[in-house]
Amino acid sequence: MYSPELSNNKQTWRSWAKERRSGLQSEIALKIIQHLKNAKVYQNAQHILSYLAFGTEFTLESLHKDTSKMFYTTRTHDKPEPHLSIHALNNDLERHPFGYYQPKKDAPIIPTKCIDLVLVPGLAFDRTGSRLGYGMGYYDRLLSLMPEALK
């Protein structure tokens, strides 16, 4: 398997991860969902922060149909400072200017302390769980507000 030269350049890694992931989308998405459903951490969780797939991200849409769980997702805010808020995941969504879907502006905000488990989006993860995201730090800031939630 090809990987970028040893480099600290995150943009090089992002390009590599997007290309690699796009060829594995449907096969791996099914395995991820089955693995999650079988995991004790998922089975024990009641309030799960998930994500809505964008671009080549693995979709968790079939997992969101599990009516024994409460699923939540994020909304992006740029002002007064960049951050994400948490909202119930339902069909009342709107498209962000970057093209992904998110809860509407008037959706009630859910406190971070309510979340048991976070299904974190990312371009790539290493064996220790370190995450390569899209470079804006929105999720990193949100995750720092949920030290008790399992990620």
Side-chain angles (χ1 to χ4, degrees), residues 9-92:
N9 183 331
K10 287 186 177 181
Q11 194 54 45
T12 300
W13 282 101
R14 284 186 184 97
S15 295
W16 174 83
K18 285 179 186 178
E19 182 180 323
R20 179 89 175 119
R21 183 174 65 186
S22 68
L24 303 172
Q25 177 63 303
S26 60
E27 174 188 333
I28 291 184
L30 291 172
K31 288 180 181 180
I32 289 171
I33 290 169
Q34 193 57 50
H35 179 76
L36 282 169
K37 286 181 175 181
N38 292 332
K40 291 255 188 257
V41 294
Y42 175 81
Q43 293 169 4
N44 294 334
Q46 290 301 306
H47 300 275
I48 302 171
L49 177 59
S50 189
Y51 63 88
L52 298 171
F54 176 65
T56 62
E57 287 179 335
F58 301 119
T59 182
L60 301 176
E61 192 173 315
S62 66
L63 190 70
H64 298 155
K65 295 176 183 177
D66 182 348
T67 58
S68 70
K69 311 290 181 191
M70 292 294 301
F71 285 96
Y72 306 89
T73 194
T74 60
R75 178 177 172 79
T76 305
H77 303 272
D78 295 321
K79 296 176 183 173
E81 60 186 50
H83 70 282
L84 296 174
S85 55
I86 300 171
H87 307 267
L89 177 55
N90 57 40
N91 293 325
D92 201 15

Side-chain angles (χ1 to χ4, degrees), residues 87-144:
H87 307 267
L89 177 55
N90 57 40
N91 293 325
D92 201 15
L93 303 170
E94 65 185 13
R95 191 181 290 269
H96 184 275
F98 288 156
Y100 55 85
Y101 284 96
Q102 65 179 2
K104 290 187 175 178
K105 191 174 191 173
D106 60 350
I109 295 175
I110 305 299
T112 56
K113 66 183 177 185
C114 294
I115 303 301
D116 302 321
L117 176 65
V118 182
L119 304 178
V120 183
L123 284 171
F125 298 86
D126 68 14
R127 293 183 190 279
T128 66
S130 295
R131 169 183 169 273
L132 178 66
Y134 293 97
M136 300 298 290
Y138 283 81
Y139 246 88
D140 298 324
R141 287 189 292 278
L142 178 64
L143 293 174
S144 72

